[in-house]
Amino acid sequence: AKADGRGCFKLYAEHMDTALRERRAMEGELRSAVANGELELHYQPLAEIEDGRVIGFEALVRWNNPRRGQVPPAKFIPLAEETGMIHDIGDWVIRQACRDATGWPAHMKVSVNLSGKQLTSFKMVQRVLDALHESGLPPQRLELEVTESVLINDPETTLELLRNLRELGVSIALDDFGTGYSSLSYLVRFPFDKLKIDSSFVQGAAESPENLAIVRSILSLAGYLNITTLAEGIETREHIELLRSEGCQQVQGFLLDKPMPQNALHQFSRYPIAG
Ligand code: C2E
Ligand code: CA
Ligand code: CA
Ligand code: CA
């Protein structure tokens, strides 16, 4: 095997080469995706756990590429972040989401995911304002979702930026809560409107006492701080009954519906999930 040392290295180098070329190719195609109209938003309902009433939809971006088919966000958002394309893509997402939401019943909100990269400049405040003005959507109907990780690098500046966004009248949700660095102190210092409990704890709560303990402590903390709670990744009746009995207020997950294109949203107002 030792004699193969060089051959192995050459193979490895070729492999790297292929990976790099593939990355470049994808980068090039992603660069023209917005202009070519290849991005699309799908919407997943968020509902009150008590009566199944739909309170809004989360916008989840899809990339429909003629050659690659539908590329999931986990495959291209990281690339968009590394290359800076996330600013243009993120802009398109906010604008499109606001436009789409103006056609929904007036009590329904649209939730938009923001990447940490989008929160490094105060220009973001103007971009959100532009999207609201352009679409005519009242700020109270827009929710921005951020993860704990946005606070890692420069928490003071990021919190100031979030505060400015909130002053526009939009609400701010903390996404994937529990999976990132524990930022319990930020919870007290920043008035987040909602905590989205990550699906791993939601789905694990029925199986392990540790996960149940995490869910319980998030819910009690949110209760003290008067923050709305939503459980992500609800797939079964068991998940929903458990979260209901623990006092969680809102749910989202495949049990209700998967993310759907805008034109499939018309009839949704209530899901039969009442206990
Ligand atoms: P996320 O914000 O945590 O979104 C929830 C993800 O869980 C979505 O995956 C959704 O389809 C999936 N999901 C919803 N309910 C269930 C369920 O019951 N079971 C399971 N197994 N999965 C469920 P998706 O659409 O592939 O998005 C993945 C991630 O990509 C998102 O996670 C978000 O972090 C990111 N993302 C999506 N759209 C955007 C965007 O417009 N901008 C940015 N920056 N990130 C986005
Ligand atoms: Ca989200
Ligand atoms: Ca999430
Ligand atoms: Ca997630």
Side-chain angles (χ1 to χ4, degrees):
K2 264 185 192 155
D4 285 352
R6 275 187 160 173
C8 271
F9 180 74
K10 186 159 171 261
L11 208 67
Y12 177 72
E14 274 169 11
H15 199 76
M16 284 290 287
D17 211 43
T18 314
L20 208 68
R21 261 204 307 269
E22 161 56 21
R23 199 194 121 102
R24 293 240 170 84
M26 188 150 160
E27 194 181 320
E29 288 168 62
L30 186 56
R31 218 167 268 288
S32 46
V34 174
N36 291 348
E38 292 175 10
L39 295 185
E40 182 186 8
L41 292 182
H42 282 195
Y43 292 100
Q44 188 178 35
L46 281 57
E48 295 286 355
I49 205 166
E50 199 178 288
D51 57 6
R53 198 164 46 89
V54 174
I55 50 167
F57 295 87
E58 177 175 1
L60 294 155
V61 70
R62 303 288 181 258
W63 176 20
N64 301 311
N65 182 263
R67 199 166 64 78
R68 297 171 190 273
Q70 191 171 88
V71 188
K75 284 258 170 67
F76 69 91
I77 292 289
L79 180 63
E81 288 172 345
E82 285 162 36
T83 54
M85 285 188 261
I86 192 67
H87 296 290
D88 287 345
I89 292 175
D91 245 20
W92 179 86
V93 168
I94 298 177
R95 291 200 148 91
Q96 188 62 42
C98 288
R99 264 200 299 272
D100 285 347
T102 55
W104 306 346
H107 64 279
M108 291 188 185
K109 285 194 181 199
V110 63
S111 306
V112 172
N113 292 284
L114 293 189
S115 129
K117 277 274 155 60
Q118 290 174 273
L119 290 169
T120 52
S121 158
F122 282 82
K123 281 183 192 148
M124 193 58 203
V125 181
Q126 189 60 45
R127 287 165 183 247
V128 171
L129 200 56
D130 288 345
L132 289 168
H133 283 163
E134 230 178 67
S135 61
L137 190 75
Q140 291 71 24
R141 295 185 60 197
L142 175 62
E143 183 152 81
L144 302 173
E145 299 193 0
V146 305
T147 61
E148 293 162 89
S149 65
V150 304
L151 295 170
I152 287 177
N153 283 332
D154 186 355
E156 294 309 326
T157 310
T158 310
L159 287 176
E160 182 59 25
L161 176 50
L162 289 176
R163 234 171 255 127
N164 289 0
L165 285 170
R166 206 161 177 274
E167 278 161 13
L168 300 179
V170 307
S171 54
I172 314 273
L174 200 46
D175 202 0
D176 300 345
F177 191 68
T179 59
Y181 279 91
S182 175
S183 51
L184 294 188
S185 62
Y186 296 127
L187 277 192
V188 183
R189 287 170 45 205
F190 185 82
F192 287 102
D193 299 279
K194 185 182 288 186
L195 287 188
K196 299 189 78 174
I197 308 171
D198 191 71
S199 54
S200 57
F201 306 121
V202 171
Q203 296 169 357
E207 272 89 53
S208 96
E210 290 82 5
N211 282 317
L212 182 57
I214 291 172
V215 167
R216 281 191 176 143
S217 49
I218 294 176
L219 291 173
S220 91
L221 185 66
Y224 282 120
L225 298 172
N226 205 11
I227 305 177
T228 303
T229 49
L230 178 145
E232 299 190 289
I234 294 277
E235 292 183 355
T236 65
R237 295 289 318 187
E238 191 189 12
H239 293 154
I240 211 167
E241 292 319 330
L242 183 68
L243 269 295
R244 195 200 315 275
S245 68
E246 295 296 334
C248 185
Q249 294 153 298
Q250 301 175 351
V251 284
Q252 177 179 7
F254 293 169
L255 180 69
L256 279 66
D257 257 312
K258 296 196 167 174
M260 303 163 275
Q262 160 85 351
N263 62 17
L265 300 184
H266 41 86
Q267 73 274 39
F268 297 92
S269 61
R270 190 186 290 268
Y271 287 88
I273 54 169

